Amino acid sequence: MEEARARRAAEALLNEHKTGVTFKAFDATTGLASIGDAYDIQDQYVALLRPEQGEPVGYKVGLTSKAMQTFCGIDHPIGGVVLARRVHQSGVTVRRGDYGRLGLEFEVAVRMKSDMPAAAQTPAAVAPYVDGVCTAIEVVDDRAADYTHLDVRSVAADNSWNAGMVLSSFTAQWPDLEGMLGKATRDGAPVGEGYGRDILGHPFNSVAWLNAQLASRGGGLRKGEVVMTGSVMKTVFPTEPGSYRFEFEGLGAVEVRVT
């Protein structure tokens, strides 16, 4: 997409967030015709966010599990950028009123040890480029989207709805990521669960997908960047205050308090 056109679409998107407009697909006049156009708009949108939210420090990959793809009616992953001031540590408190509609997604986060070449396309090939793995919760803002009429291009343009990430402590001695079971609770009551293999078969497959996507646009994963690899279960939308905890066996737990 031509840069000026993408910039106008991004400016409109930023205004919708600031004024609390419910999420809606871009109309035909925007010129959004392909997933490549969507990432062009996303690039411009992220650039507009940077003065307030800080520099990019990582990425999120969405729609990596069958549960999430079915939930959203979209059959392939999408990516987004995570900015520095949207990174939180376990135990953080988030306010529902700060978002159009707050959602929580329950994930594995990966930190890169070094720049990753596009040729690394399997979990075994990705592993040498990873220096840490942790349990994480992604904060998303879908602005009360209608999931029966989602346009994947418009979701991707809206930075794939990323509004932050909450991280536990990274470990360089991670367990079998495929077989580990993650369980989410609210005030101690179960709200869902899923396995590491629910993330494209292995969380590192999500990392490989993202790296290939970035390479297709002239980029790639770099040392120190963090990747949210995708939720193992459907998004949870808190409607009242509560404490959320997500724990992977052998990897640890992360907590978020919602007010």
Side-chain angles (χ1 to χ4, degrees), residues 74-118:
I74 297 168
D75 64 359
H76 60 82
I78 55 176
V81 178
V82 180
L83 299 169
R85 295 191 185 98
R86 292 179 168 180
V87 180
H88 311 286
Q89 298 306 306
S90 180
V92 70
T93 297
V94 296
R95 297 178 60 255
R96 285 174 295 139
D98 291 340
Y99 307 90
R101 181 169 67 167
L102 171 67
L104 303 177
E105 299 187 349
F106 303 89
E107 315 201 5
V108 175
V110 172
R111 186 175 63 200
M112 306 310 298
K113 178 166 63 176
S114 57
D115 295 1
M116 195 171 110

Side-chain angles (χ1 to χ4, degrees), residues 125-181:
V126 169
Y129 299 95
V130 173
D131 80 350
V133 175
C134 76
T135 306
I137 294 175
E138 183 183 2
V139 178
V140 298
D141 184 359
D142 74 349
R143 292 190 288 139
D146 179 355
Y147 282 69
T148 64
H149 296 89
L150 282 186
D151 169 38
V152 65
R153 297 164 300 179
S154 296
V155 177
D158 196 2
N159 199 28
S160 297
W161 290 344
N162 179 261
M165 60 183 174
V166 184
L167 304 173
S168 61
S169 297
F170 282 98
T171 177
Q173 303 295 323
W174 55 84
D176 167 29
L177 299 181
E178 284 181 279
M180 65 182 184
L181 174 63

